[in-house]
């Protein structure tokens, strides 16, 4: 029986067999096959339960992939492993990577996985690319789960994934492959894997390994960094190491992968955010694109996301936690947190961000938590975003959260501001910059917001520390205007915190603070270091008005002080003070909180309660006040003083009237309402007298009211007598009004001061005289008034009056006051019965005087005083018919008054009426009363409304005397009315006459009669005589409702209202039915009858050529003349229509709407709902009167407008849509306005079913014949568009409805009625509206319209440009402009235009699906648009697409490049440059082939085109590519830079500048030419044969520059390259600038040795130099001789004297022979002929001297050459003698002497000595030259010294000459040189 084999032995046997088979394999193919079969299952044995099996496998096999170092440790299997290791090294052997990867995923044994991964890493690089990419789904599958089991293994897998990404082609975004990529990678089924990969790709983007030894980085903790570094593998991110990756490139590839369809927006959001903040633009561009698309898909209210953002921003705690993010990323994160309400709930994190962001640098670094740079642009941006985040927290945080973090943040913010210097900003405390000041401003604003949001802990404390701090900052902070605005904003933010009821102590502290700041003025010193730099009065007044209750007297005192400012006071301070005093505006500033039921209680109990009158008086005029009667002088009273008096008067009257249930209405006319009640309401006056009378009496219980009244009266009296300001009469008015309501005892104390009234009575101020005279009458007539004082005053008056004939100027004014004072005194004394002893005599004399004045005086002022005096005296029975002096009679008086009344003098008319009260009704037509009434009737021809109202009042007085209510306010004394004479039939007869006149057709009489009837009903309506005839009055008034005169309508409306108020119920019902019938009917039933004189139209409304049709008679005459009787009916139809509208306008006059309002409650209108649509439409009638009237009626009828409109919405809308196309333009216009109001602020669902019809009808009415109707239609279109934009912004509209509305709106805006309209305002509307729509729409809704929008908007850019631009362009020279300057301005305007902004906004919404349509639209626009704006706009679109949409636009870049190239040739330079720039941006995205074609195109354009402008275009394009696509430009630098180098030598300055800029921005240093030397030379050599001279010359200049840039040493290789081109460049005839090439030749000879080693080159050079020197061009020849001399000097081994002499001598002799010619300037701007002559002589002489070579010429030859040269040189000195030539000669002689010195070391020959003596004489004869020339001569003498020292004759001659010239020399410098020459001789 065989032995049973154990499992362990069996497994060991299997492993051994596999080992044996592998060892016996003889070929690589079999080995690969064997490994494919046995390697994966063999690795599974690593999970065996037997240790020996696992050890054998590890030893035998699994050290193989790791270079076999460890194999030596296992001797028993060394031979097998060595064999296997050797066999698998060939790259052709592929390992079963796919099987191993699946095995890795399926097996959970760590040992198996470890070795699976080792073989995967070893074998994956041997697989073909497609097989490797096929592994991606398997590789990514389950990564999330794998990471949980073994992070180390997953790190390796992730690294493999990154390597595969390098080779993974990403499909174009948005196409089918891209959309299927997520499914292909398996992310659809396992979204957690996609999330895992996206997360780690995001961490990879954050990862940085810049700091050696760092274990963590910003945004990543130690664990994350270890994962990305493969847990310690050093060369993971070293590209040069085996298997290492480039971190930068990997990040870019990862970002591109994140942007693909493999991920959804929520997964790619954070990686996109990280990438967008990266400093690498390649990465940030991708990140911005991702972020733009992903932001809308994520929710910023996701707690996990917000938590992640905070952790990334702040980092995590601990030594292994992540560091805070970099500053740019922090800024981005904060911008997101500022849009999340949930972020405000993360209180600790938010607080930490703000505190650390504002902490000083040293504090931040010590804490080590947040490395925020405190300087620089990024730091400023972050700090600004921190403040924005602070403001956001203050606005959206819950009260509970704010209460937690606000105190600490405010403390931090205060500390930050104070660290900069507070309250005065200290620039030395920090970096003084705009950023610091901006942060300071933000700090103040944040403090205000936080304090306002958390007032309990920050503001509402007894000391008001923070509020005082802000006020002090406002007054003393000197940081600038922007910071002060922020402080004011901060104070405004805390205003709301004081809106509730304040504690008394707190209120007291606040008032004292505000009072303190009301007294501060700029320049005041507040403490040792503080000076007020800014007034805080405005803010203090605002706080007083909003924080303190209306009843706070100090607050009202602050308002009064605000009105007491000087002429430099801010207007808003005065306005705020007025608002604080007005209860209506106070309530508008402080609206009530809570529901309506508690609103009234609150109104009465706290905030709105009126101040106590006694307390107010005590505060304003009390003993402690600056305005106390004992302190006030003329210098202290101001306009505010009188405003204070008026306010106190209103307060006391309001309280008095409210206490008796006659409360004045508190609205914008609060003060006027009080005035009306006091002046016209008899009951109100009666109650006021009673109320004030009770409070004027002192009592033990309450002495404050009488004391306050007394103080107020005294203050009024003091104000009236102060004569300060133009409002001084207001004080008298207040005093007069109060005295008329008080008992005499209340103001008797003032009677002793009547002497103070003398000056006001004699004042030049008329109103003051009137008031002071009246007050005098009241006070002087009191029995308590001292008789001697009143008598003294009367004597003064009498003295003035008696000389009225002689009075002139101010004396007349004094007489006026005296007459009034006397009249008031006599009338009030008579009424009170307190008559002075001389009363009768005084009365008689005074009456005689005023009657005499009336008869004789013509002075209007005196006559006015007489009229007033007559009125006062007659009313109080002082002037009666019987009392008239005998020289006059009553009829005479009436006639005189009537004469003045006919002139429209209202006071004369009132005097007549008052005089009638003293005339008895005798019943005859001849009595005085009847005559007066007739006289008053005759005044109807006066068309002034005021005059007719005065006549009406006079008729009332004549009819009923003191019973007329027009005299209510006239009685200013306590007691009953004076008795009136009996009137039996006067009222009835007057009423009859007036009613009869109401039926007349005469316009003047109709107007007068309706006003008189109104006066009778108003003032006498309480009497039975009028009550019984109210129905007749009603009929009469109705006849005026349709009158064309608005005054008649208003009077009739007011009259009907009075009739309604005074009538019984039956009368009220009849009136309502008539009114409603007239309103809803279509006939002009209220228009009355028509007679011949009835005016149907305004004069001029219907012109006939010689006049106009106005009356019915005119119509009949016109019809008769024309022979067309139908004209009568046509004109009458117009008149009827006019009457209808006029009658409707009258419905709202003077509360006529109240009649209908009452009727609505009675049920009449409730049963007729059809009234509402018509009434709603009439509210928008174009006639202002109709519109106002209908609004009044609507407000009266409709108590709840919203509910009423909702209930009748359909009927109203149907009526409006029916009438919008009506016959009458009024109806059409009103319907447009009504629809606009109806749809505004209402949800789309409410009117959605009408929307299409509304738009359709709106378009039709936009083309209405009537301009005002078209305007209304455009307004309706704006409203509809506004509704759409608001809906789009709020996201309330569904996609379907938004799409539907856009399809209707956009065509309208782009139609001829919109942007193409001829009306500028319509264009402007359409443009702004379109911009709003584009801004408000999201990409999903607007995207389908983008292609068409872009094309249309581009075409319209030119049409919206003002036509004046074209005119200016054609006539630019006439206005001192250039076309280019004008185009630059146009271009600037286009770039900032809202239209281009809208286009770019549209481009932001593009995606891959919409690009094909945009391609067609944009291509069509580029080809067809006209005008600079549109063409430039097209180029800007190409730029925007290349930068902002580069991913989706890249496939189309090659297509658009040819289109842009064609537009570059536009005749307009601005357009050409714009498209050239567009080509530069397009170059970023071009394929390599297209880019090379563009470069070649530019090269041909420059070199081969015959048009000179094409060179400019080529330069524009090349420069644009260099500037806007620098990376692509560098990639083809070898192809383009040689062309650039050559072209930058163009002779045209503009072309040259373009290419020079391109070269300088892309090449560093002149030696860089050597990098492209061969290419440059080859290119230049090619175009030296060009037929175009400009190109040929440019190439030549380029060769010259090559030589100049090659340095001082040119090697033979480069020299051999340069020489042929240089030789060719200098060939040919002379041309301008050729001397540069000759100079380069000499430079070439100096810098290279080629000519020394190549005799042919040397001979050619000599030939060229000599040839060029013989040129006859004067300008060139001067330079050629210079370079000839330089070249000869270089050739020290050759004697060229003969050639040079042969060239130079003729030239010198030629110029010396023409030295007398006139100096002529060059026509080309070059040197003058004189300058050319001087330089030619100088260079010729120099060349000769340089050509003398002592080493090659000796003996007689040397002597001859020196003598010949000296002869020519002396001639030059003698005959020309220019400084230029002489200086050059001396320099050349110096050089010659130095060469001779080297040749002769001993005594020179005699012949040489002889000629040198002549040279010395020539040098020493320069004493008459300038110092510079003498210096050069002296230096030449020094050079000849060593030679002279060796020859006796030469030495003696030189010594003698030096001695003589040294004695004459005056220059110290020249003397020193001469001394040096002497010392050389003495050596």
């Amino acid at each position: 029986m065989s032995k049973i084999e154990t499992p362990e032995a069996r497994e060991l046997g299997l492993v051994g067999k596999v080992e044996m088979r592998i060892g016996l394999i003889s070929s690589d193919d079999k080995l690969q096959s064997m490994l494919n079969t046995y390697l994966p299952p063999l690795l599974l044995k690593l999970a065996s339960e037997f240790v020996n099996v696992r050890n054998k496998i590890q030893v035998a096999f699994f050290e193989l992939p790791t270079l076999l170092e460890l194999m030596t440790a296992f001797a028993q299997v060394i031979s097998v492993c060595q064999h296997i290791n050797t066999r698998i090294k060939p790259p052709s052997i592929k390992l079963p990577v796919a099987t191993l990867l699946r095995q890795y995923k399926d097996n959970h044994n760590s040992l198996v996985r470890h070795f699976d991964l080792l073989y995967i890493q070893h074998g994956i690089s041997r697989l073909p690319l497609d097989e490797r990419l096929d592994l991606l789904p398997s590789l990514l599958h389950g990564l999330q789960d794998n990471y949980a089991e073994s992070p180390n293994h997953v790190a390796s897998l992730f690294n493999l994934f990154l390597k595969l990404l390098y080779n993974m082609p990403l499909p174009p975004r948005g196409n089918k492959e891209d959309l299927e990529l997520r499914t292909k990678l398996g992310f659809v089924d396992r979204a957690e894997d996609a999330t895992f990969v996206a997360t780690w790709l995001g961490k990879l983007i954050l990862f940085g390994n810049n700091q050696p030894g760092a274990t963590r980085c910003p945004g990543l903790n130690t664990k994350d960094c270890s994962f990305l570094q493969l847990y310690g593998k050093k060369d993971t991110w070293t590209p040069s190491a085996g298997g290492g990756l480039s971190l930068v490139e990997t990040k870019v590839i990862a970002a591109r992968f994140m942007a693909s369809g493999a991920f959804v927006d929520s997964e790619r959001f954070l990686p996109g955010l990280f990438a967008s903040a990266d400093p690498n633009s390649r990465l940030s561009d991708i990140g911005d694109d991702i972020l733009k698309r992903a932001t809308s898909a994520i929710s910023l209210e996701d707690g996990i996301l917000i938590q992640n953002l905070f952790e990334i921003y702040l980092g995590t705690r601990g030594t292994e936690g992540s560091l805070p993010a970099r500053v740019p990323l922090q800024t981005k994160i904060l911008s997101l947190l500022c849009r999340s309400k949930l972020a405000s709930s993360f209180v600790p994190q938010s607080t930490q961000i703000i505190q650390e962001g504002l902490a000083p640098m040293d504090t931040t670094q010590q804490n080590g938590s947040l490395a925020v740079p405190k300087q620089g642009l990024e730091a400023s941006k972050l700090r600004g975003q921190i403040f924005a985040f602070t403001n956001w927290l203050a606005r959206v945080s819950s009260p509970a959260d704010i209460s937690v973090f606000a105190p600490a943040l405010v403390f931090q913010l205060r500390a930050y501001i104070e660290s900069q210097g507070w309250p005065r900003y200290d620039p030395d405390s920090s970096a003084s910059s705009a950023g610091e000041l901006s942060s300071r401003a933000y700090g103040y604003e944040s403090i205000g917001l936080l304090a306002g949001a958390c007032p309990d802990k920050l503001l509402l404390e007894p000391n008001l520390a923070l509020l005082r701090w802000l006020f002090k900052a406002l007054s003393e902070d000197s940081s600038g205007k922007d910071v002060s605005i922020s402080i004011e904003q901060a104070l405004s933010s805390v205003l709301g915190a004081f809106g509730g009821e304040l504690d008394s102590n707190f209120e007291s502290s606040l008032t004292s603070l505000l009072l303190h700041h009301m007294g501060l003025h700029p320049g005041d010193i507040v403490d040792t270091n503080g000076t007020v730099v800014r007034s805080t009065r405005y803010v203090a007044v605002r706080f007083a008005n909003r924080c303190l209750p209306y009843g706070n007297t100090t607050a009202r005192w602050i308002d009064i002080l605000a009105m007491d400012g000087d002429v430099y006071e801010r207007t808003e301070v005065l306005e705020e003070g007025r608002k604080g005093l007005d209860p209506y505006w106070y309530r508008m500033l402080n609206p009530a909180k809570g529901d309506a039921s508690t609103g009234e209680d609150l109104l009465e109990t706290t905030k709105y309660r009126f101040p106590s009158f006694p307390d107010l008086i005590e505060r304003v005029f009390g003993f402690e006040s600056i305005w106390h009667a004992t302190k006030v002088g003329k210098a202290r009273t101001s306009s505010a003083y009188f405003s204070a008096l008026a306010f106190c008067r209103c307060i006391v009257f309001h309280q008095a009237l409210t206490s008796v249930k006659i409360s004045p209405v508190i609205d914008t006319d609060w003060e006027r309402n009080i005035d009306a009640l006091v002046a016209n309401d008899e009951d109100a006056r009666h109650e006021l007298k009673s109320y004030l009378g009770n409070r004027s009496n002192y009592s033990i219980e309450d002495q404050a009211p009488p004391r306050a009244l007394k103080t107020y009266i005294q203050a009024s009296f003091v104000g009236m007598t102060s004569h300060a300001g133009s409002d001084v009469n207001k004080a008298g008015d207040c005093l007069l009004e109060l005295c008329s309501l008080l008992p005499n005892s209340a103001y008797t104390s003032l009677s002793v001061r009547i002497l103070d009234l003398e000056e006001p009575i004699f004042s030049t101020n008329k109103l003051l005289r009137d008031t002071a005279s009246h007050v005098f009458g009241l006070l002087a007539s009191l029995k308590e008034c001292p008789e001697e004082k009143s008598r003294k005053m009367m004597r003064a008056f009498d003295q003035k009056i008696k000389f009225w004939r002689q009075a002139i100027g101010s004396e007349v004014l004094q007489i006026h006051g005296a007459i009034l004072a006397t009249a008031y005194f006599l009338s009030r004394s008579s009424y009170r019965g307190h008559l002075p002893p001389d009363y009768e005599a005084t009365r008689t004399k005074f009456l005689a005087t005023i009657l005499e004045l009336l008869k004789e005086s013509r002075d209007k002022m005196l006559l006015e005083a007489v009229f007033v005096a007559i009125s006062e005296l007659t009313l109080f029975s002082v002037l009666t018919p019987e009392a008239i002096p005998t020289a006059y009679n009553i009829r005479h008086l009436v006639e005189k008054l009537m004469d003045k009344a006919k002139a429209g003098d209202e006071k004369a008319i009132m005097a007549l009426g008052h005089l009638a009260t003293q005339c008895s009704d005798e019943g005859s037509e001849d009595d005085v009363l009847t005559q007066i009434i007739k006289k008053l009737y005759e005044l109807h021809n006066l068309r002034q409304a005021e005059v007719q109202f005065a006549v009406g009042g006079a008729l009332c007085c004549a009819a009923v005397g003191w019973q007329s209510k027009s005299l209510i306010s006239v009685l200013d004394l306590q007691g009953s009315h004076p008795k009136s004479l009996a009137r039996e039939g006067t009222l009835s007869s007057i009423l009859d006459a007036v009613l009869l006149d109401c039926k007349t057709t005469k316009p003047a009489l109709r107007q007068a009669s309706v006003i008189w009837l109104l006066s009778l009903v108003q003032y006498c309506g309480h009497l039975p005589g009028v009550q019984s005839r109210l129905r007749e009055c009603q009929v009469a008034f109705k006849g005026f409702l349709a009158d064309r005169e608005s005054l008649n309508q208003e009077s009739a409306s007011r009259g009907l209202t009075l009739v309604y108020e005074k009538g019984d119920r039956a009368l009220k019902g009849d009136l309502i039915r008539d009114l409603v019938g007239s309103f809803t009917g279509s006939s002009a039933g209220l228009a009355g009858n028509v007679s011949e004189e009835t005016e149907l139209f305004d004069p001029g409304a219907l012109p006939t050529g010689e006049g106009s049709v106005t009356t019915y008679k005119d119509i009949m005459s016109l019809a008769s003349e024309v022979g067309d009787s139908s004209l009568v009916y046509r004109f009458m139809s117009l008149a009827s229509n006019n009457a209808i509208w006029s009658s409707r306008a009258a419905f709202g006059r003077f509360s006529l709407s109240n009649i209908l309002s009452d009727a609505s409650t009675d049920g009449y209108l409730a049963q007729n709902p059809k009234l509402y649509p018509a009434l709603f439409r009439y509210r928008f009638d174009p006639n202002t009167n109709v519109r106002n009237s209908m609004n009044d009626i609507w407000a009266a009828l409709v108590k709840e407008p919203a509910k009423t409109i909702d209930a009748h919405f359909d009927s109203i809308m149907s009526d409006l849509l029916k009438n919008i196309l009506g016959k009458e333009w009024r109806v059409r216009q009103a319907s447009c306005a009504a629809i606009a109001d109806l749809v505004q602020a209402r949800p789309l669902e409410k009117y959605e079913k009408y929307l299409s019809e509304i738009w359709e009808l709106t378009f039709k009415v936009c083309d209405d014949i009537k301009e005002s109707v078209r305007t209304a239609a455009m307004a309706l279109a704006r409203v509809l568009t506004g509704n759409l934009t608001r809906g789009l912004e709020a996201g309330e509209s569904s996609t379907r409805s938004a799409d539907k509305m856009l399809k209707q709106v956009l065509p309208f805006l782009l139609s001829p009625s919109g942007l193409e309209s001829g009306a500028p305002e319509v264009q402007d509307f359409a443009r702004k509206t379109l911009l709003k729509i584009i801004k408000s729409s999201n990409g999903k809704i607007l995207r389908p319209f983008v292609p068409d929008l872009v094309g249309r908007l581009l075409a319209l850019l030119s049409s919206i440009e003002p036509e004046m631009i074209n005119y200016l362009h054609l006539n630019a020279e006439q206005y001192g402009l250039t076309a280019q300057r004008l185009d630059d301005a146009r271009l600037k305007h286009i770039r900032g235009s809202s239209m281009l902004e809208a286009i770019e906004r549209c481009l932001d919404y593009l995606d891959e699906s919409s690009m094909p349509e945009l391609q067609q639209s944009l291509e069509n626009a580029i080809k067809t648009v006209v005008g600079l704006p549109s063409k430039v706009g097209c180029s800007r679109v190409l730029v925007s697409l290349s930068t902002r949409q580069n991913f989706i636009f890249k496939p189309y870049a090659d297509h658009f490049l040819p289109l842009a190239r064609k537009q570059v040739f536009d005749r307009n330079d601005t357009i050409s440059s714009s498209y050239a720039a567009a080509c530069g941006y397009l170059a970023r995205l071009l394929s390599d082939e297209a880019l090379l074609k563009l470069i070649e195109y530019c090269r041909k354009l420059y070199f081969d085109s015959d048009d000179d402008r094409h060179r400019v275009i080529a330069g524009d394009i090349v420069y644009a590519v260099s500037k806007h696509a620098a990376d692509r430009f560098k990639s083809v630098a070898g192809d383009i830079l040689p062309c650039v180098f050559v072209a930058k030598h163009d002779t045209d300055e503009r072309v040259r500048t373009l290419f020079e800029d391109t070269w300088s921005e892309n090449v560093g240093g002149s030696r860089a030419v050597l990098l492209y030397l061969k290419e440059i030379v080859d290119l230049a050599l090619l175009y030296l044969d060009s037929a175009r001279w400009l190109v040929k010359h440019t190439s030549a200049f380029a060769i010259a520059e090559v030589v100049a840039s090659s340095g001082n040493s040119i090697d033979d290789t480069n020299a051999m390259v340069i020489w042929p081109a240089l030789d060719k460049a200098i060939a040919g005839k002379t041309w301008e600038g050729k001397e540069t090439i000759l100079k380069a030749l000499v430079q070439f000879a100096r810098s290279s040795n080629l000519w020394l080693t190549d005799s042919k080159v040397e001979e050619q050079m000599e030939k060229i130099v000599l040839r060029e020197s013989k040129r006859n061009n004067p300008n060139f020849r001067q330079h050629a001789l210079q370079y000839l001399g330089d070249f000869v000097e270089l050739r020290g081994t050759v004697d060229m004297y003969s050639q040079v002499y042969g060239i130079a001598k003729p030239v010198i002799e030629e110029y010396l022979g023409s030295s007398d010619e006139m100096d002529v300037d060059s026509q080309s701007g070059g040197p003058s002929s004189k300058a050319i002559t001087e330089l030619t002589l100088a260079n010729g002489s120099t060349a000769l001297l340089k050509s003398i070579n002592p080493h090659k010429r000796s003996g007689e030859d040397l002597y001859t050459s020196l003598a010949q040269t000296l002869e020519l040189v002396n001639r030059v000195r003698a005959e020309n003698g220019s400084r230029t030539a002489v200086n050059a000669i001396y320099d050349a002689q110096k050089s010659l002497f130095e060469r001779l010195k080297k040749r002769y070391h001993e005594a020179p020959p005699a012949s040489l000595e002889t000629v040198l003596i002549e040279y010395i004489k020539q040098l020493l004869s320069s004493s008459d030259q300038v110092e510079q020339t003498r210096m050069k001569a002296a230096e030449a003498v020094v050079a000849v010294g060593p030679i002279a020292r060796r020859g006796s004759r030469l030495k003696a001659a030189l010594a003698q000459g030096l001695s003589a010239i040294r004695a004459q020399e005056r220059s110290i410098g020249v003397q020193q040189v001469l001394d040096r020459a002497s010392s050389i001789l003495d050596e």
Side-chain angles (χ1 to χ4, degrees), residues 267 739 1188:
E267 295 165 351
C739 288
N1188 294 338

Side-chain angles (χ1 to χ4, degrees), residues 1679-1831:
H1679 301 291
L1681 290 173
Q1682 175 187 353
Y1683 301 133
L1684 173 63
D1686 294 342
F1687 182 76
V1688 169
E1689 192 174 24
L1690 287 173
R1691 302 187 70 194
T1693 59
V1694 179
D1695 180 20
M1696 294 184 65
Y1697 174 78
S1698 299
Q1699 296 94 320
V1700 174
Y1701 184 78
I1703 294 171
K1705 180 181 179 182
V1707 173
I1708 293 174
E1709 290 178 344
E1710 175 187 349
Y1711 277 95
L1712 289 177
S1714 60
S1715 60
D1716 295 334
E1717 293 182 0
M1718 183 182 297
D1719 184 20
V1720 180
D1721 293 333
S1722 172
Q1723 295 181 354
S1724 60
S1728 64
S1729 59
K1730 179 180 179 181
I1732 292 175
T1733 299
E1734 291 176 357
L1735 281 174
T1736 304
L1737 291 173
N1739 293 334
S1741 302
T1742 303
L1744 265 178
L1745 290 166
K1746 287 182 178 180
S1747 66
I1748 301 175
N1749 191 340
H1751 297 282
K1752 297 299 178 181
R1753 298 181 72 85
S1754 58
E1756 190 65 27
D1757 291 339
L1758 180 60
Y1759 169 78
T1760 302
S1761 60
L1762 286 173
Q1764 290 174 340
T1765 302
L1766 181 61
E1767 180 185 0
L1768 283 176
V1769 166
N1770 284 335
R1771 286 189 62 190
V1772 171
R1773 291 184 69 250
E1775 299 180 26
N1776 181 270
S1778 67
R1779 189 183 308 170
T1780 302
V1782 174
N1783 287 346
I1785 290 171
Y1786 288 157
D1787 287 337
Q1789 287 178 349
K1790 176 183 176 183
S1791 176
L1792 173 62
F1793 295 151
E1794 290 174 349
R1795 292 196 303 274
L1796 288 171
K1797 179 179 65 176
K1798 294 177 181 179
R1799 170 69 175 80
Y1800 294 100
H1801 302 285
E1802 297 178 356
S1807 59
L1808 179 61
E1809 193 172 7
T1810 301
V1811 73
L1812 287 179
I1813 291 174
E1814 296 301 322
Y1815 272 95
I1816 290 173
K1817 291 180 179 178
Q1818 180 243 343
L1819 289 175
L1820 296 179
S1821 64
S1822 61
S1823 59
D1824 58 340
Q1825 301 288 343
V1826 296
E1827 181 180 353
Q1828 180 188 18
T1829 303
R1830 299 200 309 275
M1831 179 66 75

Side-chain angles (χ1 to χ4, degrees), residues 234-295:
K234 295 182 180 180
D235 297 331
T236 304
W237 300 108
T238 305
S240 59
L245 296 174
S246 169
L247 181 59
V248 175
E249 290 299 323
T250 305
K251 287 183 178 183
V252 174
I253 293 172
R256 290 174 180 165
F257 181 60
M258 286 301 307
S260 69
F263 301 94
V264 295
D265 288 337
S266 59
E267 295 165 351
R268 63 167 68 101
F269 173 72
L270 282 179
L273 174 65
F274 304 154
S276 67
D278 197 273
N280 185 348
S281 62
R282 297 170 59 198
L283 192 57
S284 62
D285 288 345
I286 302 173
D288 289 335
D289 182 69
I290 295 175
L291 200 61
K292 183 179 6 177
R293 299 174 184 277
T295 302

Side-chain angles (χ1 to χ4, degrees), residues 23 217 452 728 754-755 888 1025 1188 1724 1846:
C217 59
V728 65
I754 61 173
L755 294 180
Y888 305 94
N1188 294 338
S1724 60
R1846 300 186 183 102

Side-chain angles (χ1 to χ4, degrees), residues 1200-1254:
E1200 296 180 338
K1203 291 183 179 179
T1204 302
I1205 293 175
D1206 288 341
H1208 300 276
F1209 184 86
D1210 290 333
S1211 60
I1212 294 174
M1213 181 62 78
S1214 299
D1215 177 79
L1216 295 175
L1217 294 176
K1218 175 183 176 182
N1219 287 284
I1220 196 172
L1221 297 179
K1223 294 182 180 180
E1224 298 175 3
W1225 69 269
R1226 293 172 178 269
V1227 177
R1228 298 196 300 274
Q1229 183 173 335
S1231 298
C1232 289
I1235 293 175
D1237 183 79
L1238 194 60
V1239 301
Q1240 203 163 10
R1242 281 185 170 77
L1244 177 63
E1245 294 76 14
K1246 190 71 175 176
Y1247 58 92
E1248 186 173 5
K1249 60 183 179 180
Y1250 302 104
L1251 186 59
S1252 298
E1253 186 178 2
I1254 293 173

